[in-house]
Structure formats: structure tokens, C-alpha cells
Amino acid sequence: MRRTLPTRRMPRHHLMLHRAPPARHRAGAPPPRTSDLVLALLGVLLLAALALMAAHALTAGTAP
């Protein structure tokens, strides 16, 4: 029975990397607006403040 693949590798010359097309040719989403970035930053800050308050409440306890 014959083998489907050769036993030795065939040399391949001029190998090229697959590169993504330049940014101007890509059809994508428009750039984010400044207001979206500000809202995202505020959301992250609020979550961080909530996490700090929860950590403080857990470590301090309610003992008089």
C-alpha cells in the first residue's frame, strides 16, 4: 500500500508571512469618540471605587 505523504519534506523556497492588509484598506468600525472613552474611563473608576469600598467593609468588619 502506498503512502499518501512522502517520507521526506519537500523544500519550499521564498516563504512569505501572511500579513494583514494595511489599515486604510480594511473596512471596519469608525474610530471611537472621545465621549465613549470618557464614559468607559468613568465606568472603570466607579468599579474600582466599589471594589475598594467592598474590601474596606470586609476587612474593617462591624465590631463596635
Side-chain angles (χ1 to χ4, degrees), residues 24-41:
R24 63 180 176 206
H25 296 295
R26 276 189 241 159
R33 296 180 303 200
T34 306
S35 61
D36 291 339
L37 295 175
V38 169
L39 285 175
L41 182 61

Side-chain angles (χ1 to χ4, degrees), residues 2-51:
R2 289 187 66 186
R3 295 182 67 144
T4 56
L5 297 174
T7 56
R8 291 173 44 192
R9 292 185 181 180
M10 300 296 290
R12 294 183 183 175
H13 301 287
H14 305 291
L15 291 177
M16 295 187 66
L17 296 175
H18 294 285
R19 295 184 182 159
R24 63 180 176 206
H25 296 295
R26 276 189 241 159
R33 296 180 303 200
T34 306
S35 61
D36 291 339
L37 295 175
V38 169
L39 285 175
L41 182 61
L42 284 175
V44 168
L45 287 175
L46 286 174
L47 283 174
L50 183 65

